[in-house]
Amino acid sequence: SQCYDRVAHAMAALTLRAYKVHNSSVLGMLRPLHCMEFYLRTGFGQSTSFCGGAAEGKHGLAQGNGAAPATWQQISSLMIHAQHRQGHGVKICTPISKRGVNQVGIVYVDDTNLCEGLEEKDDIDAVVAKGQGAT
């Protein structure tokens, strides 16, 4: 999956700050990721040149970053909630129970498919809670 690799640091920083994460924590995570140097290592040794670095600046949250799932979820929740507020999405009626569900998007990372319906009254906290409870 490339979900974590596609996150723009500006969006991540703004979202984390909106959720009251301390600025020092946000910078402590994003600055090293942005300035990371990537070397190639093979059976013949390690390259002397690299890509990335402070001058080139990479984005993304990194696959091994323990904060990546929570950061990605917060950004995704805000984006889905914004689409929901604008009235976008589709209403799905289940064939057996005839229960209607408004679906704005599908949140998907690696092997996890989080599919949860939103109701008219749902605010951002409800979106996050539903995302955390879905499997």
Side-chain angles (χ1 to χ4, degrees):
S1 169
Q2 296 181 357
C3 302
Y4 297 159
D5 299 332
R6 304 284 180 178
V7 173
H9 286 174
M11 181 60 126
L14 289 171
T15 301
L16 291 170
R17 292 295 292 136
Y19 279 98
K20 309 287 189 243
V21 176
H22 290 284
N23 193 46
S24 60
S25 298
V26 173
L27 292 175
M29 177 179 72
L30 296 178
R31 203 174 269 151
L33 291 172
H34 187 73
C35 298
M36 206 177 293
E37 297 175 352
F38 299 89
Y39 293 85
L40 181 62
R41 181 177 292 166
T42 69
F44 298 105
Q46 182 169 304
S47 62
T48 55
S49 61
F50 62 88
C51 69
E56 200 172 312
K58 298 290 184 187
H59 287 269
L61 298 174
Q63 295 293 328
N65 179 358
T71 304
W72 187 86
Q73 181 197 19
Q74 297 305 323
I75 293 169
S76 299
S77 296
L78 283 175
M79 291 169 53
I80 288 173
H81 186 65
Q83 294 297 321
H84 177 65
R85 266 195 334 261
Q86 293 298 314
H88 300 294
V90 63
K91 182 163 186 152
I92 300 169
C93 184
T94 59
I96 296 173
S97 69
K98 303 295 184 206
R99 180 176 176 247
V101 177
N102 292 326
Q103 184 172 336
V104 177
I106 295 175
V107 179
Y108 178 83
V109 175
D110 293 335
D111 296 330
T112 303
N113 188 2
L114 305 176
C115 185
E116 188 61 49
L118 298 177
E119 305 297 328
E120 288 277 334
K121 63 184 178 356
D122 286 348
D123 62 2
I124 189 65
D125 294 325
V127 173
V128 171
K130 286 183 177 188
Q132 290 175 338
T135 56

